[in-house]
Amino acid sequence: MEESSDGASRRPVSDDFEEGAPKAPQDRGFRFLNFLNFDDTKAKETKNIARSKPQATQPHANTAIPNPALIGPDRFVAGRNNPFQNYPIRMNQRALEIYDHTVRLFSALQSTPSVDPDTVTKGPFCPMFKTMSRIGFYRSITDPAGFLQILSTSVSHMTMLRHQPVAESPEAIALSTQAIESVNKRLGDPVLNMSDGIVAAILTFCCHTTMFNDVPGSKTHMNGLEEIIRRRGGVGTLDSNPAMRMVLFWVDTNYAFMANTVPRFPYPEDLYPAVPQRPGNDPLLLTEACNQEDLLSPIYDLYSLNQLIINEPKVRDIWADGVFAWKYIVPVLHKLLLIKYEQLGPGSAALRTGAMLYIAAIRRRFGVRFLTDIQTQKLRTSIMALLQDADLAGYDAAAAVLLWLFVLVSTLSDLRDDRNWFVSQTAQHISTMGYGS
């Protein structure tokens, strides 16, 4: 070692080192040996090189590590898509990655025997994607606008998985904007503006807005869809496409629930199986509390649905079915929504709204979580009016139903004020009715 003037030690450097110049990388990997003739292979120097062990390369200290926040389930996967598949739009690498995310949701959901409800809403599974796939709706999307909207929904779902605001995803907004522009360009064409492709595209818009609880957006798309179907000649023009007819029924019912309105389109009886009915003379608590004739039928249907949910899991996994909830639960909800809230007295209005909130609680078990704020407020208003007008001490059925409603909404409400009100009413009601004694 040589000592520098400041006392620090200096290491010897090679002759070919130039001050200030970067040091050339050392060759520490494998070497190719070239021979002009066979005798060269027997040389001592050649044998020493061939027998030496290759030295490990140094780690790349300056290599940038990818940001984990930017790596999601959509990366490095486009190669799994079918290279011979035809798409409604021109696909680049990113579009293939997004589409792969949607396809993986289909295949993963269909091959998973049991899915935890928290995994459905927070993990990589999406019940809306699964259901649309099972009935063949997404396979029928050949319109560019509809396909772009499916990609937008897929990006929104990936954004949700990263726990980021869905409404602020620039990529999802851009794809959805392209889809809407594609539809708007054809609305002025008397032939194209009423085609199946346009209807399917707008249905994908409705699926997206209801999936993410966008009530104003759902209203806009439902208004446009209703007008187009009217110009086509009515909902019967979709009978040749059962998948489209079913999706129309679902998005119509979902929006009506979120906005507390009456569904716009009729129930497609030919597409849905009948739920086994319980005998009408059974002493059922909810029917005893019901004093509205047209409300009795959906209440009986609710009992039948409840019994079906109890019995079916004994023979199959309905929670991972993907279609069960839409076949058996949505029709009962549709029936309840057809009864106008404003035409009911406080007791019947509370029973109707409570039954719908009970259905909302069941649907959460299937991974479908729609807004319940409006329905909760309606129920609270009805109960307050009921408590002012009636003395429940002598009505065991009504008092028991009221307790059921208090407990149900206490666990279901997303708003703290409503939840606190229902919890306090639960405690007060138990004390007043003497249930604790």
Side-chain angles (χ1 to χ4, degrees):
M1 288 284 191
E2 298 180 56
E3 292 293 331
S4 65
S5 59
D6 58 359
S9 62
R10 295 170 56 92
R11 295 180 181 272
V13 296
S14 60
D15 294 335
D16 58 352
F17 178 81
E18 294 182 10
E19 190 68 26
K23 192 173 182 179
Q26 298 181 7
D27 185 6
R28 298 187 177 183
F30 295 99
R31 295 177 59 184
F32 289 95
L33 304 179
N34 297 321
F35 306 108
L36 297 177
N37 56 66
F38 182 76
D39 292 338
D40 291 341
T41 63
K42 299 179 181 181
K44 183 178 180 180
E45 182 182 357
T46 301
K47 290 181 179 180
N48 290 337
I49 295 174
R51 291 171 182 169
S52 64
K53 295 181 179 179
Q55 299 182 22
T57 58
Q58 296 296 313
H60 300 281
N62 296 325
T63 302
I65 300 175
N67 185 353
L70 300 178
I71 300 178
D74 55 314
R75 305 302 297 168
F76 314 119
V77 292
R80 286 198 297 248
N81 290 313
N82 181 359
F84 302 105
Q85 181 173 346
N86 291 322
Y87 301 95
I89 65 172
R90 185 176 180 179
M91 302 287 280
N92 56 22
Q93 181 71 13
R94 177 55 180 162
L96 290 170
E97 291 169 354
I98 299 170
Y99 183 72
D100 177 85
H101 177 72
T102 308
V103 172
R104 282 193 306 118
L105 284 171
F106 297 162
S107 59
L109 283 163
Q110 291 171 358
S111 62
T112 304
S114 180
V115 180
D116 180 78
D118 288 335
T119 304
V120 171
T121 53
K122 300 176 184 176
F125 302 109
C126 174
M128 180 74 77
F129 281 149
K130 180 179 183 180
T131 305
M132 299 298 105
S133 176
R134 287 286 297 273
I135 67 171
F137 176 66
Y138 281 149
R139 289 192 297 272
S140 68
I141 299 297
T142 57
D143 187 88
F147 192 81
L148 284 166
Q149 184 56 53
I150 291 174
L151 296 183
S152 174
T153 302
S154 184
V155 170
S156 297
H157 186 254
M158 289 189 287
T159 303
M160 182 181 66
L161 296 184
R162 298 189 185 102
H163 304 285
Q164 297 172 354
V166 172
E168 298 177 9
S169 171
E171 188 174 27
I173 293 173
L175 288 166
S176 185
T177 301
Q178 292 178 49
I180 294 173
E181 289 176 350
S182 175
V183 169
N184 288 338
K185 288 178 181 178
R186 287 172 285 170
L187 288 180
D189 189 307
V191 177
L192 297 178
N193 65 6
M194 294 186 292
S195 65
D196 284 357
I198 289 291
V199 174
I202 299 177
L203 281 174
T204 61
F205 300 160
C206 295
C207 287
H208 178 92
T209 53
T210 55
M211 176 179 174
F212 293 101
N213 289 301
D214 179 2
V215 178
S218 296
K219 181 179 180 179
T220 298
H221 297 315
M222 288 300 301
N223 288 343
L225 188 60
E226 184 179 26
E227 177 61 20
I228 290 175
I229 291 177
R230 185 191 66 79
R231 292 181 181 180
R232 283 169 58 107
V235 73
T237 59
L238 298 178
D239 288 346
S240 60
N241 193 325
M244 247 201 298
R245 182 66 185 91
M246 291 177 72
V247 174
L248 173 65
F249 173 65
W250 292 339
V251 296
D252 181 32
T253 304
N254 291 336
Y255 168 70
F257 172 77
M258 292 191 297
N260 192 45
T261 62
V262 177
R264 307 171 187 227
F265 301 103
Y267 173 74
E269 297 182 0
D270 56 319
L271 298 178
Y272 281 86
V275 179
Q277 296 292 315
R278 290 180 56 127
N281 56 0
D282 280 6
L284 303 175
L285 184 62
L286 293 184
T287 57
E288 290 181 11
C290 180
N291 56 12
Q292 190 83 15
E293 186 67 29
D294 54 354
L295 189 57
L296 278 174
S297 177
I299 292 298
Y300 272 114
D301 287 346
L302 183 63
Y303 269 105
S304 301
L305 171 64
N306 204 62
Q307 194 62 44
L308 186 66
I309 292 176
I310 294 172
N311 295 334
E312 282 295 302
K314 298 175 182 178
V315 294
R316 65 191 182 100
D317 187 3
I318 63 172
W319 313 109
D321 180 86
V323 180
F324 178 90
W326 304 92
K327 274 188 175 181
Y328 297 103
I329 298 178
V330 177
V332 180
L333 179 60
H334 185 269
K335 234 177 182 181
L336 288 164
L337 286 165
L338 289 175
I339 304 172
K340 294 184 178 180
Y341 172 87
E342 294 75 17
Q343 297 176 354
L344 300 174
S348 296
L351 185 59
R352 167 193 176 269
T353 309
M356 292 196 296
L357 287 170
Y358 177 64
I359 289 177
I362 295 174
R363 297 183 78 184
R364 289 188 180 187
R365 178 63 178 84
F366 285 91
V368 179
R369 192 180 184 93
F370 289 116
L371 287 176
T372 58
D373 300 350
I374 295 179
Q375 304 296 346
T376 300
Q377 285 289 330
K378 291 290 185 182
L379 179 60
R380 182 172 173 175
T381 301
S382 299
I383 290 179
M384 291 175 65
L386 180 64
L387 293 175
Q388 291 176 359
D389 296 341
D391 180 10
L392 301 178
Y395 300 93
D396 292 339
V401 170
L402 198 57
L403 178 60
W404 171 66
L405 293 175
F406 284 145
V407 174
L408 170 67
V409 184
S410 296
T411 61
L412 192 65
S413 177
D414 295 318
L415 299 178
R416 178 178 296 180
D417 180 63
D418 288 333
R419 184 168 59 250
N420 291 343
W421 187 86
F422 279 96
V423 169
S424 65
Q425 289 297 317
T426 301
Q428 183 177 341
H429 188 68
I430 289 175
S431 175
T432 302
M433 302 307 298
Y435 291 140
S437 59

